[in-house]
Amino acid sequence: EVGDRLSPGTRVFCFHPHASIMNVSEADVLEIPADIPDKDAVFFANMETACSLIQDAAPVLGDRIAVFGAGVVGSLTAAVLAQHRQDVTIFDPPAADRLAALREAFPEVQQGLVDSDSFDLAIEASGSAHALAQAVQGLRRGGRVVVGSWYGEEEVSLPLGLRFHRSEASIVASQVSRIAAPLATRWTK
């Protein structure tokens, strides 16, 4: 639907559920700036998710960070963290090709194997319950896992025994559809 603000053919972005075709109000779209190529604009929604995960994670200078999942969201998350000079390692053994491409663009991103007491913060964007369990097991004392994957009604088994409790670790659910209250005065969707 074209209104007064945009002319036909204008490149726009809109948050909208998955669809091949959609009809939305002009007020619901944002014009894509001319200096942003289509190959970058296609990642707007995924980048919004990556930024939301990082905001929910609230990394602190000096944190050793793990990102589980080297798909689009996990790779963007790791790239943003690396761009901000965070110590980030990405875990996704089946995704060797994606990891190689990510490391070519961001050499400071490391690929690793999960060991206990490996990191302070883990961001899980893999969609894998096994990876989420590895994230919990890899935390240092006081560490936190931010769960970005949507498991729906699937039951997920996690290692929440003695080591987990004694480590004072925490698990945070990320809600990417809204800005957390402490950030709402500075950020918008």
Side-chain angles (χ1 to χ4, degrees), residues 2 17 20 36 75 86 98 112 115 124 128 144 156 176 179:
V2 179
S20 297
I36 297 179
S75 293
Q86 294 288 349
R98 288 186 298 218
D115 292 321
E124 188 278 317
S128 163
R144 60 207 179 282
V156 175
V176 299
I179 302 294

Side-chain angles (χ1 to χ4, degrees), residues 8 11 16 37 44 49 74 78 93 112 148 153 159 187:
R11 296 179 322 139
H16 192 276
F44 279 1
T49 300
E153 299 302 318
W187 292 83

Side-chain angles (χ1 to χ4, degrees), residues 4 34-35 49 61-62 72 74 80 86 89 99 101 106 108 110 112 118 124 130 145 169 180 189:
D4 298 331
D35 63 337
T49 300
L61 289 175
V72 174
V80 169
Q86 294 288 349
T89 304
L99 289 170
F106 297 94
E108 55 277 2
Q110 300 300 312
S118 295
E124 188 278 317
H130 177 70
V145 175
K189 284 301 228 172

Side-chain angles (χ1 to χ4, degrees), residues 49 53 56 73 122-127 132 145-151 172-176:
T49 300
L53 288 170
D56 288 343
V73 171
I123 298 173
E124 188 278 317
S126 68
L132 178 56
V145 175
V146 175
V147 182
S149 295
W150 171 250
Y151 290 96
V172 177
S174 181
Q175 178 50 271
V176 299

Side-chain angles (χ1 to χ4, degrees), residues 61-126:
L61 289 175
D63 272 353
R64 181 137 192 274
I65 304 169
V67 175
F68 286 81
V72 174
V73 171
S75 293
L76 288 170
T77 302
V80 169
L81 289 164
Q83 188 71 26
H84 287 89
R85 306 283 187 242
Q86 294 288 349
D87 179 4
V88 61
T89 304
I90 194 160
F91 297 91
D92 196 343
D97 292 345
R98 288 186 298 218
L99 289 170
L102 179 65
R103 290 199 62 210
E104 189 173 311
F106 297 94
E108 55 277 2
V109 172
Q110 300 300 312
Q111 180 180 1
L113 300 173
V114 182
D115 292 321
S116 294
D117 299 325
S118 295
F119 35 84
D120 306 292
L121 172 62
I123 298 173
E124 188 278 317
S126 68

